[in-house]
Amino acid sequence: MFSSVWNFIKRHKKKFIFTGAVVGGVYLLGKYAQKKIKEVQEKEASEYIAQARRQFHFESNQRTCNMTVLSMLPPLREAIVTQLNSESLTAMLKTKPANKLEIWEDLKIISFTRTVVAVYSTCMLVVLLRVQLNIIGGYLYLDNSVGKSAASPLTPPDVQQQYLSSIQHLLGDGLTELISRVKTAVQSSLGGVSLKQSLSLLELEQQLIWIRAEVDSGRPLSSYMLADDEDILADQACGLTENDLVTIRLLNETRDMLDSPDLSKVLSACLNRGFSRLLDNLAEFFRLPVSDSAPNCAPDSLSAVSLPLAKIIPIINGQINSVCSETPSHFVQDLLLNDQVKEFAAIVYETFSTPQELQK
């Protein structure tokens, strides 16, 4: 029996060898495939965890941006009011001075100027802080990434403080230059308008459009947000230490972002929304009581009510308290929740939170 089996094996030896090789190959191939599948699954899981962690860090950073904007609005409002002090003119009018008309003319220009400046500077503050804090946030994400040495952070605390202090340009020299520009535009648009002349909300909107057009036709708006002179940037960094050089690099990266066409579109969208919200606020003072409405004129029509410019001035003058409010007003919320602002913030964060940025 055994001899017959042995003879069978010898006759079919090559077939057995071939079959064994195939079976062994399939087994090894299966083990290799299992290993590769496991590696792919582990890589996908790792990437998913990293992406979720990155998303969580980004969302947390946006909440920090929002809180920082709200905390900066009071000093911004104070800086505007200090340079455009309409309250002193109002107090002088209560004394019934001989030059009453002259003071009213000054009050007209200052009131419109400070409200327009408040809209511009608040929009700039939202955009600038969104850029700065997402640049910092991107680098902080890299600092906290696996494999990154904590002993050599990309943005040490001292650098962050130096870098973020550049916001003072918007509250200082930048604001002064913006006020000068807006004041010239207001004077050009409203200087010849009599205090007794009545304006409807539609006509008031047209005045604001003219003012905006003249302001926007001047120097780039980004120049009011961050000093653009290289020597000034170096002075802001105050020295030649390694941290100071990192601060200058961050400022230059910020300047590149501020000068980009995408940011110009984002800022324009913020300004459009800001002035639209301002007009919504003003519309409350241009409403006819329902009982007094003309049959063919809707109570909310932009031309239904006209007010003398002298009565519009106090209304305009008080808008700064709504625009630069540290409590989340509709005006500020509209800017913080603007889709274009959020999308641009994501682009900035993405740019500076990827390791490739370190090689540039």
Side-chain angles (χ1 to χ4, degrees):
M1 176 181 178
F2 288 110
S3 61
S4 61
V5 172
W6 176 247
N7 290 332
F8 176 81
I9 292 174
K10 285 196 295 181
R11 286 197 306 271
H12 300 280
K13 178 174 63 175
K14 291 183 179 180
K15 293 181 180 179
F16 279 112
I17 292 173
F18 176 76
T19 303
V22 170
V23 173
V26 170
Y27 174 77
L28 292 175
L29 184 61
K31 294 293 287 184
Y32 177 79
Q34 288 179 348
K35 180 182 178 182
K36 284 298 180 183
I37 291 173
K38 184 178 180 181
E39 288 177 357
V40 170
Q41 289 175 335
E42 289 176 349
K43 183 180 179 181
E44 289 178 347
S46 177
E47 289 176 350
Y48 176 80
I49 292 172
Q51 185 60 32
R53 178 171 168 269
R54 193 179 189 185
Q55 183 64 27
F56 176 81
H57 186 263
F58 170 73
E59 292 173 355
S60 175
N61 199 51
Q62 303 324 296
R63 290 191 290 272
T64 300
C65 287
N66 293 343
M67 296 304 296
T68 304
V69 168
L70 293 175
S71 70
M72 292 299 298
L73 287 174
L76 175 62
R77 182 178 64 234
E78 182 179 351
I80 296 171
V81 171
T82 298
Q83 295 199 50
L84 296 167
N85 188 354
S86 61
E87 285 72 21
S88 62
L89 296 177
T90 303
M92 290 172 61
L93 286 174
K94 291 179 179 179
T95 64
K96 298 181 179 180
N99 59 340
K100 181 179 178 180
L101 183 58
E102 181 183 342
I103 295 174
W104 264 106
E105 288 293 335
D106 289 343
L107 183 60
K108 175 181 69 176
I109 301 303
I110 287 180
S111 296
F112 274 88
T113 298
R114 82 173 188 173
T115 294
V116 172
V117 166
V119 175
Y120 267 93
S121 57
T122 300
C123 291
M124 290 175 181
L125 181 70
V126 168
V127 172
L128 176 57
L129 284 175
R130 206 59 104 181
V131 170
Q132 286 190 305
L133 291 177
N134 277 291
I135 289 177
I136 288 291
Y139 281 130
L140 286 177
Y141 175 80
L142 290 178
D143 282 340
N144 295 324
S145 297
V146 177
K148 181 70 177 68
S149 174
S152 56
L154 296 168
T155 54
D158 288 348
V159 168
Q160 295 177 39
Q161 185 175 356
Q162 277 186 324
Y163 170 59
L164 293 175
S165 68
S166 63
I167 194 73
Q168 293 303 317
H169 177 76
L170 177 57
L171 275 65
D173 292 343
L175 183 65
T176 300
E177 294 162 2
L178 176 62
I179 287 173
S180 176
R181 180 65 187 170
V182 172
K183 193 172 184 179
T184 299
V186 170
Q187 184 68 52
S188 175
S189 179
L190 288 165
V193 180
S194 169
L195 295 168
K196 296 180 180 180
Q197 182 173 332
S198 292
L199 298 175
S200 67
L201 187 61
L202 185 62
E203 291 169 328
L204 186 58
E205 179 183 19
Q206 186 58 57
Q207 291 289 338
L208 292 174
I209 290 173
W210 288 335
I211 293 169
R212 279 191 64 186
E214 186 164 345
V215 173
D216 295 345
S217 66
R219 55 193 284 190
L221 296 179
S222 61
S223 65
Y224 302 111
M225 300 159 67
L226 191 70
D228 57 354
D229 186 90
E230 291 183 2
D231 293 334
I232 294 177
L233 292 179
D235 289 342
Q236 288 179 343
C238 301
L240 297 174
T241 66
E242 183 177 350
N243 280 357
D244 295 333
L245 294 175
V246 174
T247 303
I248 293 175
R249 190 198 75 216
L250 290 174
L251 291 169
N252 287 333
E253 289 170 340
T254 304
R255 166 58 56 196
D256 290 340
M257 284 290 173
L258 295 181
D259 288 340
S260 69
D262 287 340
L263 184 131
S264 179
K265 294 177 183 177
V266 171
L267 181 55
S268 179
C270 286
L271 288 168
N272 290 339
R273 188 67 198 118
F275 279 100
S276 176
R277 175 58 68 177
L278 173 64
L279 285 167
D280 288 344
N281 293 345
L282 295 174
E284 297 300 321
F285 300 91
F286 284 81
R287 296 191 187 280
L288 276 175
V290 177
S291 58
D292 294 342
S293 300
N296 298 323
C297 187
D300 294 335
S301 172
L302 295 179
S303 57
V305 176
S306 293
L307 297 176
L309 183 55
K311 287 191 176 181
I312 295 175
I313 289 172
I315 299 171
I316 284 286
N317 189 55
Q319 291 303 307
I320 190 172
N321 296 315
S322 172
V323 174
C324 298
S325 173
E326 65 270 28
T327 57
S329 64
H330 290 301
F331 183 93
V332 177
Q333 284 182 333
D334 282 353
L335 300 181
L336 296 179
L337 300 178
N338 183 283
D339 287 338
Q340 288 182 259
V341 171
K342 292 191 287 186
E343 289 170 6
F344 189 75
I347 292 173
V348 176
Y349 184 86
E350 177 76 16
T351 301
F352 291 93
S353 64
T354 55
Q356 290 84 351
E357 182 62 24
L358 298 178
Q359 302 172 6
K360 295 181 180 180

